[in-house]
Every structure is written in structure tokens, then in C-alpha cells.
Amino acid sequence: SGMGTVILPGELIQPSSSAGVNDKQIIGYGIERLDSDRLVSTQPGILRSTAKKQWISVQARRYVPERSDMVLGVVTGKIGDLFKVDIGSADLAFLSYLAFEGATKRNRPTLKTGDLLYARVISTSKHVEPELSCVDAEQKARGMGVLPVGGCFFRVPLHVARRLLSPKSQLLKLLGEDFKFEITVGLNGRVWLASEAHRVLVFMRNLILKSEYIVESDIPAHVESEIRRFKGFEQPEKMDTS
């Protein structure tokens, strides 16, 4: 599959090299021309180009599994030795009870319907449901498996999930300077977030959902002002001593 480059809003885009010198390339959705030879993105998404055109593809509504994607799934049931898992794709995924660290025929993982799983897609094909695993090549979990009870689980658009996972994205790093939290983001557009304070959870969830429309260069100032507002509400009322 053509993994395009993930582009964040406000990034400069190189005009496509495949266009001839005199062929003005058509710029499509999500791209604006700054001047004759500079383009800038206005949308988060995947940069796509043909010889004649460049555009940003804002991810499709539905998640299409790709091998080695890390995803968040919900256990929906069991058939024989397989767990069925909803990962938001057209088909349910399946997961062998042996695909967990330390699992054997005797030592089976205890999964219940409704459990949240962080897992890796290990195979996809047109004719078979996607298969998941909760161990890596060395049979180690490395953070995969059933997520702890508690925390909050919510959906984000697929391109927002990619952005949160991008090393270029500053949002979570900046939040980590002020708040203690755990977060797991699946490429399938799902987020699990845990923090001791419920108010912090609600604040972070809203910030993540709204961040879709903030260009990357504005993120630091945006996060700082949101945190200031949040903490402003947190000050206890001063006693009137007059």
C-alpha cells in the first residue's frame, strides 16, 4: 500500500518533482499556494500526488487494516480458540489465545467481552478477517494486551490518530510537562487515556479532539493557553478578608 507522508497543517510542501518546469501542477484539497514556488498544507492528512496534481487525502472514515499497524480493539466474543475483536474495520479481527506473552494451552489468557486490547495487525487479506497478535517477534508483550480497567476510551478521526503518533507532533509531549497521564493511541482512530483526576481526563480528551484544527506551529501556544485556563479554574476562591 502506498504509505504517503503524514502532513500536519501548516507544513510546507515541495512542489512535485514529476511535473515539468512549465507544467503548473494543480493543487487540490488541503493545499494552498504561498507564492510561485511554495505550497503549504491547511489540513492534516496524507500527501498524495500524481504527475499533474497534488492534494491532501484526509483519511477515509473507515479504518483499513495494514500489516504491523498498532490498533485498539474491543473483544466482542469467542469462537473456539479465537477471540473476535472489533477494530473498526469492515470485518471483525481475530486473535488466537496463544498470541499473548506466556500463553500456553494450559495457561490461557482470561479475556472477557468488552475488554480493551492494544494489539498489532499481523495479517490482512481480501478474503480473510484481519489477524491480531499481542506479542512481538520475540513473543514479548511490550505494552500490548488487555488495557487496565478505568481510563476513558474515545474515537478520533484517523488522521488525528496518525498525528498523535507522529514524532513531529508536540501535543502529548507538552501535556506531559504539566500532567501525569497514560495514553495509548491506535492507528485505527481510537484512544485510551488514563489519569488520576477525572477533570484532567475530560480536559485532555477535549484538547485532543479539538487539536485537529490547530496547525502544528500554533500547538505550543494553544496548549499553554488552554492549560492556563484549566488551572485558572482550579485555584480555590480566595477568602474575602476585608
Side-chain angles (χ1 to χ4, degrees), residues 69-134:
D69 278 0
M70 301 300 298
V71 295
L72 269 175
V74 182
V75 178
T76 62
K78 201 173 174 248
I79 313 178
D81 289 337
L82 299 175
F83 295 103
K84 294 193 298 180
V85 184
D86 169 359
I87 58 170
S89 56
D91 298 303
L92 286 174
F94 66 90
L95 172 71
S96 160
Y97 75 93
L98 287 171
F100 290 85
E101 185 171 335
T104 61
K105 275 198 157 66
R106 284 211 164 138
N107 180 26
R108 292 174 175 246
T110 50
L111 294 190
K112 305 177 304 300
T113 297
D115 279 350
L116 296 181
L117 282 177
Y118 183 51
R120 195 165 50 101
V121 176
I122 56 172
S123 73
T124 61
S125 119
K126 279 201 167 54
H127 315 291
V128 188
E129 291 87 353
E131 186 179 355
L132 306 177
S133 174
C134 287

Side-chain angles (χ1 to χ4, degrees), residues 150-239:
C152 94
F153 179 58
F154 59 99
R155 287 187 176 78
V156 295
L158 297 177
H159 61 264
V160 172
R162 284 194 184 274
R163 180 183 186 177
L164 288 171
L165 290 164
S166 161
K168 294 186 278 193
S169 170
Q170 307 165 81
L171 180 68
L172 297 177
K173 295 186 192 85
L174 292 168
L175 284 169
E177 291 169 13
D178 277 80
F179 300 109
K180 277 199 160 63
F181 62 91
E182 284 180 70
I183 191 165
T184 302
V185 179
L187 276 171
N188 57 336
R190 292 173 177 184
V191 178
W192 177 84
L193 179 63
S195 171
E196 282 172 18
H198 181 69
R199 288 178 62 256
V200 171
L201 269 187
V202 173
F203 167 72
M204 283 188 58
R205 175 178 176 271
N206 290 341
L207 194 62
I208 287 168
L209 288 168
K210 288 185 199 144
S211 70
E212 176 179 0
Y213 304 105
I214 311 289
V215 301
E216 192 59 32
S217 55
D218 289 347
I219 285 280
H222 175 72
V223 170
E224 190 185 335
S225 74
E226 289 292 306
I227 288 175
R228 266 211 308 272
R229 250 183 39 196
F230 176 76
K231 293 198 162 167
F233 294 140
E234 223 164 25
Q235 302 306 321
E237 290 297 304
K238 289 206 169 63
M239 292 294 288

